[in-house]
Amino acid sequence: MKKFYQNKKIVITGASSGIGEYLALELARLGAKVILLARREFKLQALAKKIQEQGFQASYYPLNVSDSPQVIEVCEKILKNEGTIDILINNAGIMKLGPFEKLTLNQHETTIQTNLLGSIYLTHAFLPHFQQNNSGHLVFVSSLVGHVNLQNFNTYSATKFALVGLAEGLKTELRGKNIFVHLLCPPATDTPLLENADSAQVDQFRKLPIAQVGNRLIQGIAKKKYLIFCSWDSQLLVWIKRICPRLAEAILAHY
């Protein structure tokens, strides 16, 4: 594992907390240079300093992934300052839960702009670089609810479904070009995202530790694995939905 990541340059969105922060710390310890992107500059600065004080490599660029002109500007700066980028991890996301009509249009729009368009903007900016180098890894952090929807997850789930479709399409387009696509689909994970979800519904779910989710992704990238689940039961539920949708609906009705 360490040999694979040694001297790799890895861009991580949503790096200021949760899964993104965990990935930054672990990948840096494996010998990669991590390039941290998120909105909160003070958080990025503190994380980069922590990594550097441990003797590892990190740089950071404040970025709102939902702002297309800003994404273009920052990505150009990264390519100029950092040189070759090896891996892009599209991890930035927000979660607004509740009955569809209770959420404001702004909340629906912001969820789509951050979770889906942010990944499209970053991928569009870095993919030509990967194609030019005939090498690279594109990572999309989707969710279990990118395969099975649950009550009150509506637009959040829709963006995760869209990421599944986006990853699947890119995987087909890039086959044989030495550019690998990875799709992470964790169930509920114990991150600040759930703490800020504005719904008591998430309290009923068993939450996986961040380390379990992060380590599955780190291993999956190194093994060039496309579809990465983080627990056997979530993988089983997805397969049940494919084979017997009515049984999956009956199971999901209990959530």
Side-chain angles (χ1 to χ4, degrees):
M1 193 87 67
K2 191 164 186 177
K3 183 178 180 181
F4 175 83
Y5 285 108
Q6 194 71 37
N7 298 319
K8 289 280 197 303
K9 291 181 181 175
I10 305 176
V11 173
I12 307 172
T13 69
S16 60
S17 65
I19 294 172
E21 180 181 13
Y22 180 85
L23 290 171
L25 290 164
E26 290 303 306
L27 290 168
R29 288 168 186 154
L30 288 170
K33 178 175 183 181
V34 292
I35 299 157
L36 315 174
L37 306 182
R39 288 175 297 177
R40 297 174 291 183
E41 183 171 4
F42 73 98
K43 286 269 192 179
L44 293 177
Q45 188 175 32
L47 179 57
K49 183 179 179 182
K50 180 178 179 179
I51 291 169
Q52 291 162 357
E53 286 175 345
Q54 293 175 355
F56 305 118
Q57 300 180 77
S59 58
Y60 69 92
Y61 298 80
L63 174 66
N64 179 353
V65 298
S66 68
D67 186 330
S68 177
Q70 190 182 141
V71 169
I72 294 170
E73 180 184 349
V74 169
C75 289
E76 287 177 350
K77 190 181 296 185
I78 289 171
L79 291 172
K80 180 180 178 181
N81 294 347
E82 309 290 349
T84 300
I85 301 301
D86 300 289
I87 301 172
L88 167 64
I89 301 179
N90 288 297
N91 168 69
I94 61 173
M95 178 186 282
K96 297 293 182 183
L97 304 182
F100 181 85
E101 73 281 3
K102 296 287 176 119
L103 299 180
T104 66
L105 277 178
N106 180 257
Q107 288 175 314
H108 288 295
E109 289 171 351
T110 303
T111 300
I112 293 168
Q113 288 163 353
T114 301
N115 297 2
L116 176 57
L117 290 180
S119 293
I120 291 174
Y121 296 155
L122 268 293
T123 301
H124 195 269
F126 282 110
L127 182 55
H129 174 73
F130 290 163
Q131 291 173 319
Q132 183 179 349
N133 294 331
N134 193 35
S135 177
H137 293 257
L138 287 169
V139 180
F140 298 94
V141 176
S142 181
S143 170
L144 173 60
V145 297
H147 297 273
V148 293
N149 207 335
L150 297 174
Q151 183 181 358
N152 293 333
F153 277 75
N154 41 70
T155 302
Y156 175 80
S157 183
T159 62
K160 297 302 184 177
F161 266 86
L163 287 179
V164 172
L166 177 62
E168 188 172 315
L170 284 168
K171 178 175 176 283
T172 301
E173 288 182 22
L174 298 171
R175 185 176 289 121
K177 296 183 179 180
N178 203 40
I179 300 171
F180 301 93
V181 178
H182 310 275
L183 182 65
L184 179 68
C185 301
T189 306
D190 192 12
T191 72
L193 186 67
L194 286 185
E195 294 172 6
N196 300 323
D198 301 329
S199 174
Q201 182 179 0
V202 297
D203 294 337
Q204 67 183 291
F205 297 122
R206 176 176 63 90
K207 302 175 185 66
L208 293 188
I210 291 177
Q212 182 173 334
V213 174
N215 290 339
R216 285 290 180 94
L217 178 59
I218 290 169
Q219 294 163 10
I221 295 172
K223 293 177 180 178
K224 299 177 181 176
K225 188 174 181 180
Y226 166 61
L227 189 55
I228 304 169
F229 287 102
C230 302
S231 65
W232 68 268
D233 51 345
S234 59
Q235 187 170 1
L236 177 62
L237 181 57
V238 172
W239 279 107
I240 290 174
K241 185 186 178 185
R242 290 178 181 174
I243 297 167
C244 186
R246 288 189 177 181
L247 176 57
E249 287 179 12
I251 294 171
L252 293 170
H254 292 285
Y255 288 94

